[in-house]
Amino acid sequence: MTSDNATAPGDATVGKAGSPPFDTSKAHQARIYNYLLGGKDNYAADRGPAEAALKVWPDMAFTAQANREFLGRAVRFLAGEAGIRQFLDIGTGIPTAGNTHEVAQAITPESKVVYVDYDPVVLAHARALLTSNDAGATEYIHADLRNADSILAQAAQLLDFTKPVAVTMLAILHALPDSDDPYAIVARLMDAVPPGSYLAISHAGSDRLDQESQQSIGDSWNGRVQQQFTLRTREQVAEFFAGTDLVEPGVVPVEDWRPEPGTTGEGKSTVWCAVGRKR
Ligand SMILES: C[S@@+](CC[C@H](N)C(=O)[O-])C[C@H]1O[C@@H](n2cnc3c(N)ncnc32)[C@H](O)[C@@H]1O
């Protein structure tokens, strides 16, 4: 788990499927997201591209916040109504308020959560993710989503794959280009869990941001941000849910997925999301 396959900050392991180097001169997805959420775990190299994108895409900060709030509502649904006790959270991000284990264990204390991320900055914060209550448990795996078999093998040390698992991949799959075949990776993960398991995804939408803005953001991020992003349409996001039944309301902008009473789904985020139950 944290000791397996670990790349300490300072290592420069890069590869097709490996951890990006700990490099504070280049922006990283995890730290840009942290900046947008108002966190302090980011550097000037992260804030520059974030500010450049905010100029052409002012709703980016709203989108990050709305995505994080979706995480809370989705995990509450999974731990509550869906009765899930095991979570595999891939693309954890830098710990912040409302981490998956905190949300799940507040509802069902015996929830077990395995976190996975490949960013050395997230690894440096892994201890904050390993603070389970006594009844439940959490583990952190430092690994690349593209190594699905390795993730499954390590996760099996804590999770029982004969019982339902919620696989959550929020704001991560758009960091995988089509050449990495993200559909096959999601299918591999969902093949490993039994019927009655769940899949939750949020994903930046190419049909939620006009071409001109996508171009400007791409130009200003090119060479400055570790991850290149592949935005996908609502239909392409729905394809990740093959073999599952989508729970209501299906594939919608993150703020519109079962919003809390009294809040309005403003429909202005650029991220699609859905939750599906494996048949
Ligand atoms: C934007 S954050 C999302 C955090 C959290 N899931 C949320 O929605 O609030 C995306 C995370 O995915 C991680 N990530 C991106 N590509 C990855 C990969 N190939 N393998 C593992 N983690 C990856 C990044 O390091 C980052 O921490």
Side-chain angles (χ1 to χ4, degrees), residues 18 20 28-31 33-34 37 64 67-68 71 89-94 96 116-119 122 143-146 151 168-176 180 202 227:
H28 281 225
Q29 184 191 10
R31 301 191 308 236
Y33 186 62
N34 173 267
L37 291 178
N67 178 71
R68 191 70 194 174
L71 181 150
D89 178 340
I90 309 178
T92 307
I94 295 168
T96 180
V116 181
D117 205 293
Y118 75 162
D119 194 308
V122 180
D144 190 317
L145 169 59
R146 290 167 289 184
I151 290 172
T168 61
M169 284 183 276
L170 306 192
I172 176 173
L173 288 166
H174 46 240
L176 294 195
D180 282 329
S202 63
Q227 292 86 0

Side-chain angles (χ1 to χ4, degrees), residues 156-214:
Q157 292 173 33
L158 181 67
L159 305 182
D160 175 354
F161 282 103
T162 67
K163 301 210 171 106
V165 176
V167 180
T168 61
M169 284 183 276
L170 306 192
I172 176 173
L173 288 166
H174 46 240
L176 294 195
D178 290 342
S179 56
D180 282 329
D181 201 350
Y183 293 97
I185 293 170
V186 173
R188 171 73 193 100
L189 293 166
M190 292 310 291
D191 277 351
V193 296
S197 293
Y198 282 82
L199 173 65
I201 285 175
S202 63
H203 192 301
S206 54
D207 44 357
R208 302 287 298 165
L209 198 60
D210 65 57
Q211 277 296 330
E212 206 181 321
S213 306
Q214 288 185 41

Side-chain angles (χ1 to χ4, degrees), residues 42-56:
N42 49 75
Y43 298 86
D46 307 301
R47 297 189 284 272
E51 288 298 337
L54 280 166
K55 286 202 178 86
V56 283

Side-chain angles (χ1 to χ4, degrees), residues 198-257:
Y198 282 82
L199 173 65
I201 285 175
S202 63
H203 192 301
S206 54
D207 44 357
R208 302 287 298 165
L209 198 60
D210 65 57
Q211 277 296 330
E212 206 181 321
S213 306
Q214 288 185 41
Q215 188 65 46
S216 314
I217 295 166
D219 291 347
S220 65
W221 285 26
N222 199 14
R224 296 171 76 192
V225 181
Q226 178 72 37
Q227 292 86 0
Q228 294 300 303
F229 297 109
T230 303
L231 277 53
R232 297 186 172 90
T233 63
R234 180 174 186 272
E235 202 177 321
Q236 289 169 323
V237 172
E239 280 171 31
F240 283 113
F241 290 89
T244 74
D245 294 316
L246 291 179
V247 304
E248 287 298 323
V251 184
V252 292
V254 273
E255 67 274 35
D256 290 338
W257 197 89

Side-chain angles (χ1 to χ4, degrees), residues 78-138:
L78 292 164
E81 198 177 323
I84 293 291
R85 301 289 175 266
Q86 309 190 94
F87 294 80
L88 180 57
D89 178 340
I90 309 178
T92 307
I94 295 168
T96 180
N99 299 304
T100 297
H101 72 285
E102 293 161 340
V103 179
Q105 292 181 349
I107 294 173
T108 44
E110 67 271 30
S111 299
K112 293 178 179 170
V113 179
V114 172
Y115 288 108
V116 181
D117 205 293
Y118 75 162
D119 194 308
V121 177
V122 180
L123 174 63
H125 289 272
R127 265 197 310 276
L129 297 166
L130 297 171
T131 54
S132 178
N133 61 14
D134 290 343
T138 63

